[in-house]
Amino acid sequence: IEGNGEVRALASQFNAFVRMRQGFYAAGDRLQAEVRVQDSEGRPLAVDGTARILRMVVRDGKIVGEEVFKQPLKTDAQGRAEITWPAAQ
């Protein structure tokens, strides 16, 4: 018996990509980001979830994330959503 095929071993069922609207922000600015979600085949994916914004800090010699903002997020049929949050620092 012979056969051939392809096996995909994936770490997750989908991938999320985040792109900031600009590179630098100051305290008090409104930060804006575009979120794109794709399935394992690269197709857009509509999903419901929670966006968590973390500030990375060094604590006791280790890098840890401090949550600074959180909100529900839903991507559209094209797998896209936007999120806006205040820059506290």
Side-chain angles (χ1 to χ4, degrees), residues 7-36:
V7 175
R8 299 186 87 168
L10 304 172
S12 66
Q13 295 177 358
F14 63 89
N15 293 302
F17 303 92
V18 178
R19 187 182 68 131
M20 299 299 297
R21 293 282 181 205
Q22 64 187 59
F24 297 92
Y25 293 88
D29 287 349
R30 303 279 306 163
L31 287 81
Q32 297 177 311
E34 177 186 14
V35 178
R36 232 176 4 111

Side-chain angles (χ1 to χ4, degrees), residues 34-50:
E34 177 186 14
V35 178
R36 232 176 4 111
V37 178
Q38 297 177 338
D39 67 12
S40 60
E41 299 292 325
R43 294 179 299 245
L45 189 61
V47 296
D48 292 312
T50 302

Side-chain angles (χ1 to χ4, degrees), residues 2 4 21-22 25 27-30 32 39 42-43 49 54-55 62 65 67 69 73-75 77 82 88-89:
E2 287 186 32
N4 61 38
R21 293 282 181 205
Q22 64 187 59
Y25 293 88
D29 287 349
R30 303 279 306 163
Q32 297 177 311
D39 67 12
R43 294 179 299 245
L54 305 177
R55 175 179 36 245
K62 296 181 181 178
E67 186 175 284
F69 186 76
L73 187 71
K74 182 176 183 173
T75 61
E82 290 198 11
Q89 295 181 352

